Amino acid sequence: MNIQINRIISEVNKINFLWTTIFFLLCLSLNLSSEIYSQESSEKLPSGKDLFIKNRCVNCHTIGRGRFVGPDLAGVGSRYSKEEIEQWMGNPQLIYQSKGKMPINEGYPPMPPLEVSPEEAGFIADYLLSVKTPTVSKAKGGVIKGMVVNATSEETTKGIELTLMAYLGDRPTDQKKVKTASDGSFNFSNLAWDRSYTISLNYKG
């Protein structure tokens, strides 16, 4: 009888050990999957700065460069909460209703309804609350420079004409044209700070 009991206890211990091993491996697998998913998700997170450009916020606002079509957004966190900043992008009319005034800032036009999604508005708000105000010399004017590279051959392209369009809000005001140098580089200098800009090019039609 004692031998049989010991054998049963031994078998039970084996089963317990087996289930413990399975449970440990399952937890390890779930943990690794969670880490991989977390890494993939973080890599795909959009940049608040890129979304600030994508949603045309730069057409009306600067960050530390002074007044533009809309107010300078440097230090906006001292004037509005994150929720209010998001509301400006989602539905500014609610802000106007809560303040009982439109526009709120004298000398500026009312904020148009951009209808930015809540997720993107959150990323943009985080960017505005964390960005450091750049130190720039407004007297010298701005510079936009870069290089045009053929993504297929990875070779620089010379003699490509680029058009720089200046905007005040959504209204085009001026344009400049340059051609890329022998190394594919280009440079637009002496640009006014109170404008936003786009660059376009035509390559082989």
Side-chain angles (χ1 to χ4, degrees):
M1 180 64 76
N2 289 337
I3 293 175
Q4 290 178 349
I5 291 174
N6 289 338
R7 184 174 299 170
I8 291 172
I9 292 174
S10 176
E11 293 299 324
V12 169
N13 287 336
K14 288 180 181 178
I15 293 172
N16 287 338
F17 175 76
L18 177 61
W19 277 109
T20 300
T21 303
I22 292 173
F23 179 74
F24 172 76
L25 292 175
L26 181 61
C27 289
L28 180 61
S29 175
L30 289 173
N31 186 46
L32 289 174
S33 298
S34 175
E35 288 182 2
I36 292 171
Y37 175 77
S38 176
Q39 290 174 0
E40 291 178 347
S41 299
S42 62
E43 290 174 358
K44 295 178 182 178
L45 289 178
S47 159
K49 181 179 180 180
D50 291 341
L51 293 173
F52 186 76
I53 298 171
K54 170 193 167 187
N55 287 285
R56 307 192 320 281
C57 305
V58 293
N59 283 22
C60 297
H61 296 280
T62 73
I63 303 176
R65 292 194 283 117
R67 54 184 296 148
F68 191 23
V69 177
D72 191 333
L73 296 182
V76 68
S78 64
R79 304 192 295 273
Y80 298 101
S81 66
K82 180 182 177 182
E83 290 72 22
E84 288 175 319
I85 296 173
E86 293 173 359
Q87 193 68 69
W88 273 116
M89 292 175 277
N91 188 351
Q93 289 300 321
L94 295 180
I95 297 287
Y96 292 131
Q97 290 173 11
S98 68
K99 303 292 184 181
K101 184 180 179 183
M102 187 177 78
I104 293 175
N105 301 290
E106 297 293 341
Y108 297 105
M111 175 85 165
L114 299 179
E115 298 180 353
V116 178
S117 71
E119 182 182 19
E120 290 193 351
F123 285 118
I124 295 172
D126 287 336
Y127 165 67
L128 292 175
L129 292 171
S130 62
V131 65
K132 294 183 179 180
T133 304
T135 302
V136 295
S137 172
K138 299 178 184 177
K140 295 180 180 179
V143 176
I144 296 177
K145 59 184 177 179
M147 183 174 292
V148 179
V149 178
N150 187 322
T152 302
S153 64
E154 297 185 352
E155 296 177 351
T156 56
T157 54
K158 65 178 180 179
I160 301 296
E161 185 176 76
L162 295 93
T163 301
L164 179 91
M165 184 67 73
Y167 289 87
L168 182 62
D170 289 327
R171 179 172 59 88
T173 61
D174 190 20
Q175 71 175 21
K176 293 184 177 183
K177 294 180 182 290
V178 300
K179 288 188 177 181
T180 55
S182 58
D183 61 352
S185 64
F186 65 89
N187 188 314
F188 291 99
S189 58
N190 298 319
L191 302 177
W193 289 105
D194 60 348
R195 294 291 185 274
S196 58
Y197 299 91
T198 62
I199 295 177
S200 60
L201 61 85
N202 192 335
Y203 180 68
K204 292 186 177 181

